[in-house]
Amino acid sequence: DNILLALNAITANKLRTILTFLIIAFGIMALVGILTAVDGIQASLSSNFATMGSNNFDIRKKGTGIQIGRRDRRGYDPITFDQSMSFKERFDYPATISVSTICTFGATIKSGEEKTNPTIRVMAGDENYLNVGGFELEFGRNFSEQEVISGNRVIIIGNGIAKKLFKKPQKAIDKSIQVNEKKFRVIGVLKSKGSSSIFSSDDIAIASIMTARREYANTKTTYVTTVAVDNPVVIDDAVSEAIGLMRNIRKLRNTEADDFDISKSDKLSSILIEQSSYITAAATVIGFITLLGGAIGLMNIMLVSVTERTREIGVSKALGATRQTILTQFLVEAVVICQIGGLLGIIMGIAAGNGVSALIGGPFFIPWAWIIMGIIICFFVGVVSGLYPAQKAAAVDPIESLRYE
């Protein structure tokens, strides 16, 4: 009966009630939406780093990887091609080793009259690069060892590039293309990972490492050595071996610190996911501030409602309603308003959060924990906001109420 009375009272003033719904709904949407988006981003990060392999680690010039906190501003010598190749030849731990480098981040690729935007990332790698980098071929083949050694002008392109230049990716094989006026022959097309993927292979081109050394390298070019151990359990031992060998190749004395970085893909993932906890905290604060405003608005509306319904309260008491009945009625009304607004906010929050997640290629996510938390929060907001107005209504003198107005 109290719930029915609450619903009737809510529908009596639709505009005021809708505004209250929206205040509560936007507070819950901010909370659930951002937290859902964060969960989706974390899932996407884990998925994308997983494609790189949990048994991989990179050896790169110090200061060029992902860094959190204060950055070391000292200049370090690049890792040269000879040093990377020496590591590849001398590292005798059971592992697959690849040497790669960045040629350019802003290339334009042409074929006839068709051309891409000047935003293509051109990488260079050896015959192991696709395997350790988590790339898969859809058409064509990988570099041969002979092509890598001789530096043939062959290239593997992303699915998006192939579609742009040749409409159908399979038609790109054995075709000639120009990468910033340099001619290459396409030998492979990568599988599409989607344009929203963090490590998208759609807009990337991969040349052989010797070609990059001849065509793109300069004195500042640094090379990355990626090691994929056969057994992920022993990756820490492999890292220790790699550090010792690279120190020897770089001719570092015992008293000198490492002038190179070693980063594991799962470590990078955990760092980024850890940093996203700050977003979660900020989202929680924003959501609670919005809910606080909603709670204050709801309390004000309930106080106005008590004043407007003074005569109704008097009639109810004259018919036998107790203080407890009146208190419960107004309290239930506040909770019902909060729950309806909360459910609306949860729906909008899930839609908004998953929309953000979809933009970066994250999975569709139903945040059950945040949904339950949102319902609980709405209940407490309703109780806190409605308690004082309900007590005020319950304390109304029935005689004074009956002659009100």
Side-chain angles (χ1 to χ4, degrees), residues 1-12 332-333 336-337 340:
D1 289 341
N2 280 329
I3 293 176
L4 289 175
L5 285 171
L7 292 172
N8 288 332
I10 289 170
T11 55
V332 168
E333 186 176 323
V336 168
I337 290 174
I340 294 174

Side-chain angles (χ1 to χ4, degrees), residues 213-257:
R213 188 187 185 198
R214 184 180 63 238
E215 302 288 348
Y216 293 96
N218 54 49
T219 55
K220 295 183 179 180
T221 299
T222 185
Y223 293 82
V224 177
T225 305
T226 303
V227 180
V229 297
D230 296 342
N231 184 0
V233 176
V234 296
I235 189 170
D236 290 333
D237 294 335
V239 168
S240 298
E241 290 279 344
I243 291 172
L245 177 57
M246 186 54 77
R247 285 182 61 87
N248 180 268
I249 292 171
R250 301 272 282 179
K251 295 180 171 55
L252 296 176
R253 293 190 294 270
N254 291 336
T255 56
E256 291 181 298

Side-chain angles (χ1 to χ4, degrees), residues 20-97:
T20 310
F21 284 163
L22 291 176
I23 292 172
I24 301 296
F26 279 112
I28 292 295
M29 185 186 75
L31 189 64
V32 174
I34 301 178
L35 296 178
T36 301
V38 169
D39 286 342
I41 291 169
Q42 289 177 349
S44 180
L45 284 172
S46 298
S47 174
N48 279 281
F49 276 104
T51 63
M52 297 171 61
S54 59
N55 59 335
N56 290 10
F57 62 89
D58 293 333
I59 306 171
R60 61 180 74 236
K61 175 187 172 183
K62 196 173 187 68
T64 58
I66 295 176
Q67 296 197 6
I68 305 299
R70 188 173 180 179
R71 191 181 183 90
D72 194 334
R73 296 293 181 181
R74 289 179 294 173
Y76 293 95
D77 292 335
I79 297 177
T80 67
F81 176 80
D82 291 336
Q83 288 172 343
S84 293
M85 295 306 293
S86 177
F87 180 93
K88 182 178 179 179
E89 292 169 3
R90 294 169 57 183
F91 191 68
D92 57 2
Y93 213 85
T96 301
I97 302 171

Side-chain angles (χ1 to χ4, degrees), residues 225-395:
T225 305
T226 303
V227 180
V229 297
D230 296 342
N231 184 0
V233 176
V234 296
I235 189 170
D236 290 333
D237 294 335
V239 168
S240 298
E241 290 279 344
I243 291 172
L245 177 57
M246 186 54 77
R247 285 182 61 87
N248 180 268
I249 292 171
R250 301 272 282 179
K251 295 180 171 55
L252 296 176
R253 293 190 294 270
N254 291 336
T255 56
E256 291 181 298
D258 295 342
D259 61 353
F260 54 90
D261 281 331
I262 289 189
S263 54
K264 293 188 287 185
S265 59
D266 58 344
K267 179 63 175 177
L268 297 180
S269 176
S270 63
I271 289 174
L272 291 175
I273 290 174
E274 181 183 342
Q275 294 306 302
S276 68
S277 63
Y278 295 111
I279 301 176
T280 304
T284 304
V285 171
I286 292 169
F288 275 113
I289 290 173
T290 309
L291 281 173
L292 179 61
I296 294 170
L298 178 60
M299 183 179 292
N300 181 58
I301 286 172
M302 292 303 298
L303 287 170
V304 172
S305 179
V306 169
T307 303
E308 289 180 346
R309 294 158 61 189
T310 301
R311 187 173 179 82
E312 175 192 326
I313 295 169
V315 172
S316 297
K317 285 193 171 185
L319 293 173
T322 63
R323 287 171 56 93
Q324 185 63 39
T325 302
I326 301 298
L327 179 74
T328 304
Q329 178 186 338
F330 279 85
L331 203 55
V332 168
E333 186 176 323
V335 171
V336 168
I337 290 174
C338 271
Q339 291 297 338
I340 294 174
L343 290 173
L344 179 61
I346 287 170
I347 294 170
M348 293 192 300
I350 292 173
N354 280 293
V356 173
S357 178
L359 288 176
I360 63 161
F364 184 82
F365 194 80
I366 301 294
W368 294 111
W370 304 127
I371 290 173
I372 294 170
M373 186 181 73
I375 293 171
I376 293 172
I377 289 173
C378 284
F379 176 79
F380 280 107
V381 168
V383 171
V384 171
S385 300
L387 187 59
Y388 175 68
Q391 288 176 333
K392 186 176 180 181

Side-chain angles (χ1 to χ4, degrees), residues 110-112 166 172-178 183-186:
K110 299 178 183 179
S111 176
F166 305 101
I173 304 302
D174 287 329
K175 294 294 193 303
S176 177
I177 62 173
Q178 287 182 298
K183 289 188 176 182
F184 290 86
R185 180 171 61 90
V186 179

Side-chain angles (χ1 to χ4, degrees), residues 19 41 116 127 136 229 349 366:
L19 291 174
I41 291 169
T116 67
E127 68 279 6
E136 292 182 77
V229 297
I366 301 294

Side-chain angles (χ1 to χ4, degrees), residues 130 137 139-144 147 154 156 173 185 187-189:
L130 296 186
L137 283 169
F139 302 104
R141 61 177 178 83
N142 192 9
F143 302 116
S144 67
E147 285 172 334
V154 291
I156 298 170
I173 304 302
R185 180 171 61 90
I187 62 169
V189 176

